Amino acid sequence: MYDINLTSVYYIYRLDEKLMFNLILFGPPGSGKGTQSDKLVEQYGLIHLSTGNLLREEISNKTPLGLEAKKFMDKGQLVPDEVVIGMIDSSLEQHKKARGFLFDGFPRTVAQAKALDKLLELKKTSIASVLALEVNDEELIKRLLNRGKTSGRSDDTNENVIRKRLTVYNNETTPVADHYKKSKKFLAVNGEGSIEEIFSRLSEAIDKKLK
Ligand code: ADP
Protein backbone atom coordinates (compact mmCIF):
# COMPACT_ATOMS: atom_id res chain seq x y z
CA MET A 1 0.00 0.00 0.00
CA TYR A 2 2.92 2.35 0.67
CA ASP A 3 4.79 1.09 -2.35
CA ILE A 4 5.80 4.48 -3.79
CA ASN A 5 7.88 4.29 -6.91
CA LEU A 6 10.76 6.63 -6.20
CA THR A 7 11.84 6.86 -9.82
CA SER A 8 8.49 8.23 -10.92
CA VAL A 9 8.40 10.63 -7.97
CA TYR A 10 11.78 11.89 -9.17
CA TYR A 11 10.54 12.38 -12.73
CA ILE A 12 7.40 14.21 -11.62
CA TYR A 13 9.65 16.46 -9.59
CA ARG A 14 11.95 17.05 -12.58
CA LEU A 15 8.98 17.73 -14.83
CA ASP A 16 7.64 20.34 -12.42
CA GLU A 17 11.02 21.97 -12.29
CA LYS A 18 11.19 22.01 -16.06
CA LEU A 19 7.70 23.33 -16.51
CA MET A 20 8.23 26.30 -14.29
CA PHE A 21 10.22 29.10 -15.84
CA ASN A 22 11.19 32.10 -13.74
CA LEU A 23 12.88 35.22 -14.97
CA ILE A 24 14.22 38.36 -13.39
CA LEU A 25 14.13 41.55 -15.40
CA PHE A 26 16.92 43.61 -13.94
CA GLY A 27 18.02 47.18 -14.51
CA PRO A 28 18.06 50.72 -13.11
CA PRO A 29 14.97 52.90 -12.63
CA GLY A 30 13.76 54.03 -16.03
CA SER A 31 15.43 51.21 -17.95
CA GLY A 32 12.08 50.00 -19.29
CA LYS A 33 11.42 47.02 -17.02
CA GLY A 34 7.71 47.78 -16.66
CA THR A 35 7.14 48.30 -20.39
CA GLN A 36 9.03 45.17 -21.40
CA SER A 37 7.49 43.10 -18.58
CA ASP A 38 3.97 43.73 -19.94
CA LYS A 39 5.04 42.35 -23.31
CA LEU A 40 7.05 39.45 -21.89
CA VAL A 41 4.31 38.12 -19.59
CA GLU A 42 1.92 38.11 -22.51
CA GLN A 43 4.35 36.31 -24.80
CA TYR A 44 5.48 33.66 -22.31
CA GLY A 45 2.42 33.26 -20.07
CA LEU A 46 4.21 34.30 -16.90
CA ILE A 47 2.86 36.02 -13.80
CA HIS A 48 4.22 39.56 -13.49
CA LEU A 49 5.46 40.38 -10.00
CA SER A 50 6.53 44.01 -9.73
CA THR A 51 7.32 45.10 -6.19
CA GLY A 52 6.95 48.75 -7.30
CA ASN A 53 3.41 48.07 -8.55
CA LEU A 54 2.54 46.02 -5.46
CA LEU A 55 3.78 48.84 -3.20
CA ARG A 56 1.87 51.51 -5.15
CA GLU A 57 -1.27 49.38 -4.82
CA GLU A 58 -0.77 49.27 -1.04
CA ILE A 59 -0.34 53.06 -1.06
CA SER A 60 -3.50 53.69 -3.04
CA ASN A 61 -5.42 51.36 -0.69
CA LYS A 62 -3.95 53.32 2.24
CA THR A 63 -2.90 50.14 4.06
CA PRO A 64 -0.47 50.43 7.01
CA LEU A 65 2.18 48.75 4.84
CA GLY A 66 1.56 51.26 2.05
CA LEU A 67 1.73 54.27 4.35
CA GLU A 68 5.02 53.04 5.82
CA ALA A 69 6.50 52.21 2.40
CA LYS A 70 5.56 55.63 0.98
CA LYS A 71 7.94 57.36 3.41
CA PHE A 72 10.89 55.50 1.86
CA MET A 73 9.70 55.71 -1.73
CA ASP A 74 9.17 59.47 -1.64
CA LYS A 75 12.79 59.91 -0.61
CA GLY A 76 14.11 57.58 -3.30
CA GLN A 77 15.17 55.02 -0.68
CA LEU A 78 14.51 51.29 -0.69
CA VAL A 79 11.64 49.89 1.33
CA PRO A 80 12.99 47.53 4.05
CA ASP A 81 13.82 44.02 2.83
CA GLU A 82 11.41 42.18 5.14
CA VAL A 83 8.47 44.19 3.76
CA VAL A 84 9.12 43.38 0.09
CA ILE A 85 10.16 39.78 0.78
CA GLY A 86 6.87 39.27 2.66
CA MET A 87 4.93 40.70 -0.28
CA ILE A 88 6.70 38.39 -2.75
CA ASP A 89 6.15 35.39 -0.49
CA SER A 90 2.40 35.95 -0.36
CA SER A 91 2.21 36.65 -4.12
CA LEU A 92 3.96 33.33 -4.83
CA GLU A 93 1.43 31.61 -2.55
CA GLN A 94 -1.45 33.24 -4.42
CA HIS A 95 -0.30 31.80 -7.74
CA LYS A 96 0.46 28.19 -6.92
CA LYS A 97 -0.37 26.98 -10.43
CA ALA A 98 1.71 29.57 -12.29
CA ARG A 99 3.84 28.48 -15.27
CA GLY A 100 6.45 30.83 -14.00
CA PHE A 101 7.09 34.30 -12.71
CA LEU A 102 8.64 37.43 -14.10
CA PHE A 103 10.19 39.41 -11.27
CA ASP A 104 10.44 43.13 -11.99
CA GLY A 105 12.15 45.49 -9.56
CA PHE A 106 12.93 42.56 -7.27
CA PRO A 107 15.38 41.47 -5.93
CA ARG A 108 16.98 44.86 -5.31
CA THR A 109 19.42 43.87 -2.55
CA VAL A 110 21.58 40.79 -2.02
CA ALA A 111 19.44 39.90 1.03
CA GLN A 112 16.35 39.92 -1.20
CA ALA A 113 18.12 37.75 -3.79
CA LYS A 114 19.07 35.18 -1.14
CA ALA A 115 15.52 35.18 0.24
CA LEU A 116 14.13 34.65 -3.26
CA ASP A 117 16.47 31.70 -3.84
CA LYS A 118 15.13 30.11 -0.66
CA LEU A 119 11.46 30.76 -1.48
CA LEU A 120 11.88 29.24 -4.94
CA GLU A 121 13.81 26.29 -3.55
CA LEU A 122 10.84 25.51 -1.29
CA LYS A 123 8.77 25.37 -4.47
CA LYS A 124 11.34 23.07 -6.09
CA THR A 125 12.18 25.65 -8.70
CA SER A 126 14.75 28.39 -9.34
CA ILE A 127 15.61 31.40 -11.47
CA ALA A 128 16.30 30.41 -15.06
CA SER A 129 17.77 33.70 -16.18
CA VAL A 130 18.43 37.30 -15.16
CA LEU A 131 18.09 39.70 -18.07
CA ALA A 132 19.64 43.08 -17.34
CA LEU A 133 18.60 46.14 -19.33
CA GLU A 134 21.50 48.55 -19.79
CA VAL A 135 20.81 52.24 -20.37
CA ASN A 136 23.12 55.22 -19.77
CA ASP A 137 22.39 57.56 -16.83
CA GLU A 138 21.54 60.67 -18.87
CA GLU A 139 18.97 58.73 -20.89
CA LEU A 140 17.51 57.27 -17.65
CA ILE A 141 17.04 60.72 -16.09
CA LYS A 142 15.44 62.02 -19.29
CA ARG A 143 13.02 59.06 -19.44
CA LEU A 144 12.06 59.32 -15.76
CA LEU A 145 11.40 63.08 -15.89
CA ASN A 146 9.29 62.50 -18.99
CA ARG A 147 7.34 59.71 -17.28
CA GLY A 148 6.81 62.02 -14.28
CA LYS A 149 4.88 64.47 -16.46
CA THR A 150 2.07 61.95 -16.99
CA SER A 151 2.45 59.02 -14.56
CA GLY A 152 1.34 60.79 -11.40
CA ARG A 153 4.35 59.19 -9.69
CA SER A 154 5.75 61.73 -7.27
CA ASP A 155 9.15 59.98 -7.26
CA ASP A 156 9.53 60.77 -10.98
CA THR A 157 9.00 64.53 -10.84
CA ASN A 158 11.92 65.56 -8.65
CA GLU A 159 15.38 65.29 -10.21
CA ASN A 160 17.03 64.96 -6.77
CA VAL A 161 14.86 61.96 -5.91
CA ILE A 162 15.68 60.42 -9.31
CA ARG A 163 19.42 60.91 -8.76
CA LYS A 164 19.08 59.41 -5.27
CA ARG A 165 17.36 56.32 -6.77
CA LEU A 166 20.22 55.93 -9.26
CA THR A 167 22.78 56.17 -6.44
CA VAL A 168 20.85 53.60 -4.37
CA TYR A 169 20.75 51.38 -7.46
CA ASN A 170 24.52 51.63 -7.93
CA ASN A 171 25.27 50.98 -4.27
CA GLU A 172 22.67 48.42 -3.21
CA THR A 173 21.29 46.81 -6.35
CA THR A 174 24.31 46.29 -8.62
CA PRO A 175 25.76 43.71 -6.13
CA VAL A 176 22.67 41.61 -6.95
CA ALA A 177 24.11 41.23 -10.46
CA ASP A 178 27.25 39.62 -9.02
CA HIS A 179 25.09 37.20 -7.04
CA TYR A 180 23.62 35.85 -10.30
CA LYS A 181 26.86 36.13 -12.29
CA LYS A 182 28.31 33.53 -9.91
CA SER A 183 25.73 30.99 -11.10
CA LYS A 184 26.12 32.15 -14.74
CA LYS A 185 22.48 33.22 -14.95
CA PHE A 186 23.16 36.85 -15.77
CA LEU A 187 22.76 38.30 -19.23
CA ALA A 188 23.15 41.98 -20.17
CA VAL A 189 20.84 43.32 -22.87
CA ASN A 190 21.10 46.70 -24.59
CA GLY A 191 18.12 48.69 -23.28
CA GLU A 192 18.45 51.58 -25.74
CA GLY A 193 16.45 51.74 -28.97
CA SER A 194 12.78 51.27 -29.77
CA ILE A 195 10.45 49.25 -27.52
CA GLU A 196 10.14 46.61 -30.24
CA GLU A 197 13.90 46.38 -30.79
CA ILE A 198 14.51 45.84 -27.09
CA PHE A 199 11.69 43.32 -26.87
CA SER A 200 13.27 41.32 -29.75
CA ARG A 201 16.62 41.27 -27.95
CA LEU A 202 14.96 40.01 -24.76
CA SER A 203 12.81 37.37 -26.43
CA GLU A 204 15.75 36.10 -28.45
CA ALA A 205 17.69 35.58 -25.21
CA ILE A 206 14.71 33.84 -23.57
CA ASP A 207 14.05 31.58 -26.56
CA LYS A 208 17.67 30.43 -26.50
CA LYS A 209 17.29 29.60 -22.84
CA LEU A 210 14.02 27.71 -23.39
CA LYS A 211 15.52 25.46 -26.08
P1 ADP B 1 11.81 52.31 -10.51
O1 ADP B 1 12.44 51.05 -11.00
O2 ADP B 1 11.52 53.28 -11.61
O3 ADP B 1 12.49 52.93 -9.34
P2 ADP B 1 9.74 50.83 -9.12
O4 ADP B 1 8.30 50.95 -9.40
O5 ADP B 1 10.39 49.52 -9.38
O6 ADP B 1 10.37 51.98 -10.02
O7 ADP B 1 10.06 51.24 -7.61
C1 ADP B 1 9.62 52.45 -7.03
C2 ADP B 1 10.11 52.53 -5.60
O8 ADP B 1 9.53 51.46 -4.82
C3 ADP B 1 11.60 52.36 -5.38
O9 ADP B 1 12.31 53.58 -5.51
C4 ADP B 1 11.66 51.81 -3.93
O10 ADP B 1 11.48 52.85 -2.99
C5 ADP B 1 10.43 50.94 -3.86
N1 ADP B 1 10.76 49.52 -4.21
C6 ADP B 1 10.31 48.85 -5.30
N2 ADP B 1 10.79 47.59 -5.31
C7 ADP B 1 11.56 47.46 -4.19
C8 ADP B 1 12.35 46.42 -3.64
N3 ADP B 1 12.45 45.21 -4.24
N4 ADP B 1 13.01 46.65 -2.49
C9 ADP B 1 12.92 47.83 -1.87
N5 ADP B 1 12.21 48.87 -2.34
C10 ADP B 1 11.52 48.70 -3.49
Side-chain angles (χ1 to χ4, degrees):
M1 171 167 161
Y2 293 108
D3 181 23
I4 297 169
N5 180 337
L6 280 182
T7 316
S8 60
V9 168
Y10 175 73
Y11 277 113
I12 292 167
Y13 163 80
R14 290 290 306 171
L15 191 69
D16 264 340
E17 191 180 44
K18 233 189 144 151
L19 276 178
M20 224 182 167
F21 186 70
N22 306 300
L23 290 173
I24 294 173
L25 194 55
F26 192 78
S31 57
K33 300 187 296 291
T35 307
Q36 296 297 333
S37 290
D38 289 343
K39 296 171 77 66
L40 291 170
V41 293
E42 194 180 332
Q43 172 102 348
Y44 296 98
L46 304 172
I47 300 285
H48 184 195
L49 289 186
S50 154
T51 40
N53 290 350
L54 291 170
L55 289 166
R56 280 185 288 277
E57 220 172 279
E58 297 280 343
I59 293 175
S60 68
N61 292 334
K62 299 196 167 61
T63 65
L65 189 156
L67 296 175
E68 186 57 27
K70 189 174 187 317
K71 295 183 202 157
F72 295 92
M73 292 164 78
D74 283 348
K75 285 187 263 181
Q77 294 170 351
L78 292 183
V79 172
D81 285 336
E82 54 277 19
V83 175
V84 284
I85 292 166
M87 275 187 348
I88 289 289
D89 190 9
S90 54
S91 300
L92 292 176
E93 283 304 305
Q94 277 166 29
H95 299 281
K96 285 214 163 92
K97 299 234 162 83
R99 243 208 101 210
F101 294 93
L102 175 66
F103 298 96
D104 158 10
F106 180 90
R108 247 174 163 96
T109 63
V110 173
Q112 291 178 20
K114 287 184 176 164
L116 179 63
D117 286 347
K118 285 209 182 104
L119 287 174
L120 293 178
E121 208 181 306
L122 286 173
K123 301 195 176 306
K124 312 267 185 284
T125 184
S126 61
I127 292 295
S129 199
V130 180
L131 302 168
L133 290 171
E134 293 191 329
V135 177
N136 77 70
D137 274 10
E138 284 322 298
E139 170 75 12
L140 291 174
I141 294 170
K142 207 172 81 190
R143 286 187 190 178
L144 290 168
L145 284 171
N146 242 331
R147 181 168 81 185
K149 287 183 197 155
T150 52
S151 67
R153 277 183 57 170
S154 51
D155 60 344
D156 284 344
T157 45
N158 181 325
E159 189 163 337
N160 287 333
V161 174
I162 291 176
R163 288 195 184 273
K164 169 74 184 169
R165 279 153 67 202
L166 293 177
T167 307
V168 168
Y169 177 82
N170 287 330
N171 294 340
E172 296 181 56
T173 307
T174 48
V176 174
D178 298 326
H179 176 82
Y180 291 105
K181 278 177 190 162
K182 276 185 217 148
S183 48
K184 304 213 179 345
K185 290 183 173 168
F186 189 87
L187 191 76
V189 175
N190 178 0
E192 295 179 13
S194 73
I195 291 175
E196 285 308 324
E197 272 164 359
I198 300 161
F199 180 63
S200 304
R201 289 176 200 139
L202 290 169
S203 29
E204 227 169 84
I206 296 171
D207 293 342
K208 253 191 214 155
K209 193 84 198 175
L210 277 170
K211 263 186 202 154

